[in-house]
Amino acid sequence: MRIRHLDVVTAFLYPRLKEKMYMLVPEDIAAYPGEIVELFHSIYGTRQAAHNWYKELIAALRAFGMQPAVDEETVFVTTVKGRKLIVVMFVDDIIVIHNDDQLFKRFLKHLQSKFEITDEGDLQWYLGVYYQRSADGATMTASQASYIDRLATTFGGERWQPTKTPMEEKFSVREQDVAKEHDPKLESEYHKLLGSLLFLSCWSRPDISVAVTKLARVGRRVSTRTTRPAYSCLGNLSFGSDPST
């Protein structure tokens, strides 16, 4: 099975609006500056833009004979005489999994007849995750090493040290560890780090899932004592080689 990555250029601009909608033309736009114009197509920033694009793309996939997977409306599948093609979509990024090049070429030509499509080739970067296939094509690894490096820089290396485990054994938050008053700045930074760790645990680092679950129990009244385990988890991510999944 081959995995290809497609990108739709200016995806939100394709659907036509059903509602009457008007906008004030920004003054720095040379054509009709400061005038009120009617919109015929969705534009970025309108509330219905994402939903309208989703319906537009769905219609194109159905026109190719594709059907949604059970319980997953962003995955579409079609099978033609044993040849299979699976589409996974996230806004304007489309992943195509197939076992027949001719079927893929027909599908790509079909989409290009409706949208401006960029063929990014075999899947490598997708939503901040780097994918690499083995030489024999039998396995694929997913790595977020560059994302981890950015986290280490963002949250300052002086606040954590490399550790061999995501969390100390038998970790628990005691009442005396919780701050008596709110510290909005400390809580905001903690929540940003926690969200980043959660993103990693969902994609390529399931090995930190238990640690992140325990860290998520501390949401308010964050103290220096309760934030230390989060930096320890980050230190574990930065320790040694990247164990890609």
Side-chain angles (χ1 to χ4, degrees):
M1 300 287 281
R2 292 193 64 184
I3 306 177
R4 300 291 289 267
H5 182 197
L6 307 179
D7 181 72
V8 184
V9 181
T10 61
F12 285 4
L13 305 185
Y14 287 102
R16 289 189 63 89
L17 285 170
K18 294 182 179 180
E19 309 86 353
K20 285 284 186 179
M21 187 174 294
Y22 301 87
M23 68 171 287
L24 181 66
V25 178
E27 295 182 356
D28 56 347
I29 293 183
Y32 313 110
E35 294 191 17
I36 296 176
V37 297
E38 181 180 357
L39 293 178
F40 295 103
H41 290 261
S42 296
I43 62 173
Y44 288 82
T46 54
R47 291 184 177 182
Q48 61 270 67
H51 180 64
N52 287 349
W53 161 243
Y54 173 75
K55 293 194 296 184
E56 188 88 2
L57 181 55
I58 291 301
L61 295 179
R62 289 187 180 279
F64 192 74
M66 306 198 73
Q67 296 297 324
V70 178
D71 298 327
E72 184 51 73
E73 296 182 356
T74 61
V75 177
F76 275 69
V77 181
T78 187
T79 302
V80 181
K81 296 181 180 179
R83 298 174 297 168
K84 181 164 288 189
L85 188 140
I86 304 169
V87 171
V88 182
M89 52 188 174
F90 184 84
V91 192
D92 56 354
D93 282 302
I94 301 174
I95 303 301
V96 184
I97 307 167
H98 68 91
N99 61 358
D100 184 83
D101 287 340
Q102 293 303 316
L103 180 60
F104 169 75
K105 289 178 181 178
R106 281 181 46 215
F107 175 72
L108 180 59
K109 185 177 180 181
H110 170 74
L111 285 188
Q112 289 176 330
S113 69
K114 299 179 180 298
F115 317 115
E116 183 180 350
I117 298 285
T118 301
D119 183 1
E120 304 287 350
D122 290 334
L123 178 64
Q124 287 189 317
W125 286 98
Y126 183 63
L127 301 180
V129 182
Y130 179 70
Y131 295 90
Q132 187 173 25
R133 200 156 199 168
S134 60
D136 60 3
T139 60
M140 175 172 282
T141 58
S143 171
Q144 289 178 286
S146 61
Y147 182 76
I148 293 171
D149 290 341
R150 290 200 302 272
L151 282 185
T153 302
T154 300
F155 291 98
E158 72 279 0
R159 285 177 286 185
W160 54 266
Q161 295 296 325
T163 59
K164 292 185 178 181
T165 58
M167 180 170 284
E168 62 188 45
E169 188 178 358
K170 297 181 181 180
F171 167 79
S172 64
V173 178
R174 300 168 298 179
E175 183 61 29
Q176 59 265 37
D177 297 330
V178 178
K180 294 182 179 179
E181 296 182 358
H182 294 297
D183 184 338
K185 184 178 180 180
L186 186 61
E187 288 182 3
S188 176
E189 184 173 292
Y190 178 77
H191 292 159
K192 289 178 182 178
L193 176 55
L194 181 60
S196 299
L197 295 175
L198 179 62
F199 174 61
L200 286 165
S201 70
C202 291
W203 279 92
S204 66
R205 295 300 300 265
D207 55 312
I208 66 169
S209 297
V210 173
V212 173
T213 299
K214 290 187 176 182
L215 292 171
R217 296 172 185 172
V218 184
R220 298 172 64 83
R221 294 169 60 194
V222 175
S223 68
T224 305
R225 167 67 180 85
T226 55
T227 58
R228 194 177 302 125
Y231 288 108
S232 177
C233 188
L234 177 57
N236 172 251
L237 292 172
S238 304
F239 178 79
S241 59
D242 171 41
S244 304
T245 56

